[in-house]
């Protein structure tokens, strides 16, 4: 089950090892740590290992990324991955 801390802003990504876009997203995060340094944590969840979370968050496309706010509520969500689109999305949520 997903847990968030009361004073945290977290990025949670639901993906799968068999998903080419998920692999690209993981590589992007590894090569661009400054893009997510404002977040207190980044979690990557394999939907094959946690299908209940996939259902709970109504994930239809992988990868699907969520930013949780300080209260543990979903602040924003993004389906799919392209480097430029993902950078824009992260910057939009930087507050």
């Amino acid at each position: 089950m997903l847990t968030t801390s009361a004073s945290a802003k977290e990025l949670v990504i639901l993906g799968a090892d068999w998903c080419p876009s998920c692999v690209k997203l993981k590589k992007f995060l590894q090569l661009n740590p400054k893009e997510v340094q404002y977040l207190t944590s980044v979690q990557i969840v394999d939907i094959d290992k946690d299908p209940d979370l996939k259902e709970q968050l109504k994930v239809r496309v992988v990868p699907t990324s969520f930013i949780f706010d300080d209260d543990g509520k979903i602040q924003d969500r993004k389906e799919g991955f392209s480097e430029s689109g993902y950078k824009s999305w992260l910057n939009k949520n930087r507050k």
Side-chain angles (χ1 to χ4, degrees):
M1 191 49 118
L2 181 67
T3 58
T4 58
S5 105
S7 62
K9 191 173 214 181
E10 296 183 273
L11 172 64
V12 177
I13 302 162
L14 275 70
D17 292 338
W18 48 262
C19 162
S21 292
C22 300
V23 173
K24 289 178 185 174
L25 175 52
K26 284 183 190 178
K27 187 170 196 122
F28 167 79
L29 293 172
Q30 291 170 344
L31 296 175
N32 298 283
K34 289 184 178 184
E35 295 292 334
V36 293
Q37 70 184 9
Y38 71 94
L39 299 162
T40 54
S41 79
V42 176
Q43 296 179 51
I44 299 175
V45 179
D46 187 321
I47 59 164
D48 293 325
K49 295 178 182 164
D50 198 342
D52 292 339
L53 185 58
K54 175 187 173 195
E55 193 171 308
Q56 177 187 349
L57 294 173
K58 298 177 174 82
V59 172
R60 301 179 314 252
V61 175
V62 289
T64 297
S65 303
F66 298 88
I67 293 185
F68 287 86
D69 68 12
D70 295 349
D71 297 322
K73 292 185 171 50
I74 296 172
Q75 176 180 313
D76 203 358
R77 118 185 230 147
K78 178 163 184 54
E79 294 180 339
F81 174 75
S82 74
E83 188 170 330
S84 61
Y86 209 80
K87 279 184 179 182
S88 295
W89 181 71
L90 288 170
N91 285 330
K92 180 184 88 168
N93 285 289
R94 190 184 304 256
K95 293 180 184 175

